[in-house]
Amino acid sequence: MRDIERVLTAEWTAAQTEEWITKTDPADGSPVGRIPVTPPAGVIEAVRAAHDAAPGWARTSPSARAAAVQDAARAIEEHIEDLAWLTTREMGRPVAEAQAGVAAGVATLRQYAELGPLHRGHSLAGDWEATDLMAYEPRGVAGVITPWNDPVAVSCGLIGAALVTGNAVVYKPSERTPGTGWLLGRLIGELLPPGVFATLCGGPAVGALLTEQPLDVIAHVGSTATGRRIALAAAVTGAAVLLENGGKDPLIVDADVDPGWAAEQAATGAFANAGQLCTAVERIYVHERIAGDFLDALTKQAEQIRVGPGWDPDSQLGPLVDRQLRDLVHAQVREAVAAGAQPRCGGELPDGPGAFYPPTVLAGCTEQMAVLREETFGPVAPVVAVGSFEEALRQADFGDYGLAATVLTGSVAHAQQAWRELAVGTVKINDVFGGAPGGAAQPRRASGAGFGYGPELLDEFTTVKVVHLAPAPHSHRA
Ligand code: NAD
């Protein structure tokens, strides 16, 4: 057992609570810890304390707030190994990738520390004797509710943007990565004035109770079903809502690309983080002219991936977060196979402990199958052969989600047509995980609402006040 797990166990054991969640390692089922659930009074008190602290934090100069976010980035960087280790133990991600996730979180915090003080309003062209302006102000108290699949990187973006713009934050990390969330929250919280930052432990009930409190903004990254519940709760309290939710991202493979290269792109997109990424490739539409070669190459790639515990440096693909998710993934695969999909590799539950699922390639999938309609969140690549690029675009646009899409094509005309026509927030041409820094997009339909990253995230955590400042008519110098 690593030192960090000893510290965590000691602190958690001393916690005052009546409810506990038991967390096990998805690689072998060994215990990671018993997590104390924040009692309802603790949730209410955290929000009350945040309201008390918010005005003082809002008046703190932007450069001082930015300095605190920089300090948080430094503290997290100093604990990169502990945070990555806990991530791997709690959700299975190979440790080198988990470290990259923590490093991405540190970089994001630094980015918001730089951008925060530059976030500004406009002066307006009013009367000569008046001053007219639009000023950004912090919203007040932000509830930040996050998932387990990239726990540090996702949390750091929201927390950094919320804090640097002058909001107090009540943070509710996922119950599936509670130690990671707890350590992250502790590193950030101890650098801030009392009440400005609190971390809550627990699952959906704790999250739901938080959303019933008088928050000014709720930022949720997680599943669409939860996002909808949060939107309903916010409709009652009047909180602003930012939702970054599920996806069912298509990959379109045009007739003119090299099938081997396209298979590499598909494998990266479908199998990275065992498919547990919001922008994972979840369905593939390949032109029938190259479909055979593409499927052969993708199957070969999938079969070569080394599956094993995330804490083994040789593993390229860890287990899924738990058996609950594995059951959902396998049910979709089984249903597809029963309906006529042909498994080219994978698709069988392995023997042994843990929540491992093999990289799986399914040929001959159809729109009726859940594996093409619902988010899978596992290492599954369902493939559909299509007769034309137009047909691929039509099928890619099918369904409820609108997060992102990737198109592999040598045709500028097809690339242009694709980015114009696809109803998603992000379109990537010829690069499955590419994108320039500073980009931001709004997800569409069931994938959420608002800017979840980029400079525009600062707008989400602020609200605009327009000011008209005119002199009083009879004012004169004394
Ligand atoms: P989830 O929505 O189940 O859980 C996320 C958080 O919401 C957790 O902290 C959870 O405890 C909390 N929660 C659950 N029910 C709640 C309720 N009723 N009220 C308030 N809070 C509640 O999602 P998950 O399984 O942790 O994460 C996986 C999902 O997240 C996938 O759908 C994935 O696509 C999505 N995701 C999206 C993005 C994005 O940027 N669009 C990024 C990462 C993950």
Side-chain angles (χ1 to χ4, degrees), residues 144-150 154 172-176 202-211 218 220-227 229-230 233 243-248 276-279 282 321 325 375 377 401 403 443 447-448 452-453:
V144 170
I145 303 176
T146 55
W148 49 269
N149 66 317
D150 196 359
V154 169
K172 213 300 279 167
S174 171
E175 65 281 11
R176 280 158 140 174
V206 173
L209 182 61
L210 175 61
T211 62
I218 305 171
H220 170 251
V221 180
S223 68
T224 294
T226 302
R229 281 186 206 110
I230 289 174
L243 299 174
E244 295 294 315
N245 295 155
K248 188 73 195 164
Q276 302 166 119
L277 289 174
C278 55
T279 52
E282 289 246 343
V321 65
L325 178 61
E375 191 175 47
F377 232 53
Y401 293 100
L403 195 59
S447 291
Y453 56 99

Side-chain angles (χ1 to χ4, degrees), residues 215-302:
L215 300 171
D216 297 292
V217 55
I218 305 171
H220 170 251
V221 180
S223 68
T224 294
T226 302
R228 287 177 172 158
R229 281 186 206 110
I230 289 174
L232 284 173
V236 175
T237 66
V241 189
L242 167 65
L243 299 174
E244 295 294 315
N245 295 155
K248 188 73 195 164
D249 288 5
L251 171 76
I252 294 177
V253 184
D254 207 352
D256 64 350
V257 300
D258 170 27
W261 167 74
E264 279 168 30
Q265 291 278 316
T268 303
F271 305 137
N273 205 19
Q276 302 166 119
L277 289 174
C278 55
T279 52
V281 165
E282 289 246 343
R283 50 204 173 109
I284 299 169
Y285 302 100
V286 55
H287 197 286
E288 60 194 10
R289 217 182 302 151
I290 63 163
D293 288 347
F294 170 81
L295 269 164
D296 289 347
L298 180 58
T299 305
K300 202 167 154 203
Q301 296 239 357

Side-chain angles (χ1 to χ4, degrees), residues 19-347:
E19 205 188 328
W20 300 82
I21 297 172
T22 301
K23 178 69 205 158
T24 55
D25 186 328
D28 59 7
S30 65
V32 181
R34 261 177 93 227
I35 300 112
V37 174
T38 307
V43 176
I44 292 163
E45 173 53 23
V47 176
R48 196 201 55 72
H51 276 290
D52 284 353
W57 186 240
R59 284 188 209 117
T60 303
S61 78
S63 57
R65 294 195 304 247
V69 174
Q70 289 282 14
D71 289 346
R74 205 168 308 115
I76 293 164
E77 194 167 44
E78 281 165 11
H79 288 79
I80 191 164
E81 289 198 1
D82 286 342
L83 283 161
W85 174 256
L86 285 173
T87 303
T88 298
R89 282 276 280 156
E90 293 185 322
M91 56 74 72
R93 193 172 196 182
V95 77
E97 282 181 37
Q99 285 199 5
V102 180
V106 169
T108 311
L109 281 174
R110 294 204 165 119
Q111 195 178 54
Y112 285 117
E114 295 280 335
L115 289 173
L118 306 182
H119 191 238
R120 59 186 169 224
H122 311 275
S123 66
L124 302 170
D127 291 341
W128 172 257
E129 68 276 12
T131 299
D132 287 86
L133 54 94
M134 289 166 70
Y136 282 106
E137 296 186 336
R139 286 190 182 271
V141 175
V144 170
I145 303 176
T146 55
W148 49 269
N149 66 317
D150 196 359
V152 177
V154 169
S155 299
C156 282
L158 298 176
I159 292 169
L163 286 174
V164 81
T165 45
N167 299 278
V169 172
V170 181
Y171 171 48
K172 213 300 279 167
S174 171
E175 65 281 11
R176 280 158 140 174
T177 46
T180 313
W182 172 86
L183 179 57
L184 183 71
R186 180 183 159 136
L187 292 169
I188 296 172
E190 61 193 13
L191 295 165
L192 293 161
V196 170
F197 188 91
T199 305
L200 307 178
C201 272
V206 173
L209 182 61
L210 175 61
T211 62
E212 288 163 16
Q213 304 309 305
L215 300 171
D216 297 292
V217 55
I218 305 171
H220 170 251
V221 180
S223 68
T224 294
T226 302
R228 287 177 172 158
R229 281 186 206 110
I230 289 174
L232 284 173
V236 175
T237 66
V241 189
L242 167 65
L243 299 174
E244 295 294 315
N245 295 155
K248 188 73 195 164
D249 288 5
L251 171 76
I252 294 177
V253 184
D254 207 352
D256 64 350
V257 300
D258 170 27
W261 167 74
E264 279 168 30
Q265 291 278 316
T268 303
F271 305 137
N273 205 19
Q276 302 166 119
L277 289 174
C278 55
T279 52
V281 165
E282 289 246 343
R283 50 204 173 109
I284 299 169
Y285 302 100
V286 55
H287 197 286
E288 60 194 10
R289 217 182 302 151
I290 63 163
D293 288 347
F294 170 81
L295 269 164
D296 289 347
L298 180 58
T299 305
K300 202 167 154 203
Q301 296 239 357
E303 284 170 343
Q304 283 171 352
I305 294 173
R306 290 189 303 277
V307 180
W311 24 264
D312 178 343
D314 280 342
S315 301
Q316 294 173 312
L317 189 129
L320 296 178
V321 65
D322 53 27
R323 286 201 171 187
Q324 191 190 334
L325 178 61
R326 184 171 83 163
D327 288 347
L328 289 173
V329 170
H330 191 51
Q332 282 192 11
V333 170
R334 271 210 329 246
E335 184 234 50
V337 173
Q342 303 103 48
R344 298 290 299 259
C345 64

